[in-house]
Amino acid sequence: MHIVINIICWLWVGWVGFNLFMVALAATVLPVHQAHFDGFRARLPTWLPELLTSDEIAAVISHEHGHRHHLHVWTNLALRCLFLNPGARRRRRQEIEADDFAVAHGHGRHMASALRKLSSHPDDLSRAERLEQM
């Protein structure tokens, strides 16, 4: 029985290590295709200034800092390490929390405008409508 528990523990340590490695990989090596918070800093694609105004970029950065403020990357990592999928509903809620952070820092209208320019996905359009009503 002791050997089985040892094996299970080492497998879990490997799983945690793999997930930490993936966070580090995303933060250092992978190219940036969309704005995101990688667990350490907000990352923006180089093409973003071609599409958004400086106020909209500030709103996107504020939104990404909302992910940092709420520890979304680390919460999702902890869930994955416990073999739980963060799920679409949690991810939508996290996006709204990050939007609310941007609103609290005076970027609501510009965040709505940036969302409309960056995406035609129904969830993003719904978030933009919500921001415009705040």
Side-chain angles (χ1 to χ4, degrees):
M1 184 65 168
H2 178 69
I3 281 223
V4 171
I5 291 172
N6 244 354
I7 290 170
I8 290 171
C9 285
W10 281 110
L11 288 172
W12 182 75
V13 166
W15 175 247
V16 170
F18 170 76
N19 280 283
L20 285 170
F21 172 75
M22 294 306 290
V23 169
L25 186 67
T28 57
V29 177
L30 296 179
V32 179
H33 297 293
Q34 65 181 30
H36 68 280
F37 181 73
D38 65 14
F40 303 99
R41 66 189 183 278
R43 299 187 70 199
L44 305 175
T46 56
W47 51 261
L48 205 61
E50 298 168 14
L51 194 59
L52 301 181
T53 68
S54 59
D55 288 334
E56 291 165 339
I57 291 173
V60 169
I61 291 170
S62 183
H63 169 93
E64 296 308 328
H65 283 289
H67 287 301
R68 181 199 67 210
H69 176 78
H70 291 290
L71 303 172
H72 291 154
V73 169
W74 303 111
T75 302
N76 292 343
L77 175 66
L79 288 171
R80 282 192 300 276
C81 288
L82 295 172
F83 304 102
L84 299 171
N85 182 353
R89 192 165 75 180
R90 174 180 289 275
R91 285 190 298 274
R92 278 193 297 276
R93 187 174 72 237
Q94 289 174 342
E95 290 303 320
I96 289 170
E97 287 174 348
D99 289 345
D100 290 348
F101 185 89
V103 167
H105 289 85
H107 298 288
R109 184 171 54 90
H110 296 295
M111 187 66 216
S113 174
L115 273 170
R116 289 192 182 283
K117 287 181 180 179
L118 294 172
S119 176
S120 60
H121 190 278
D123 287 346
D124 294 334
L125 295 177
S126 171
R127 287 172 43 217
E129 286 176 24
R130 179 182 171 275
L131 289 168
E132 290 164 345
Q133 295 173 0
M134 295 179 91

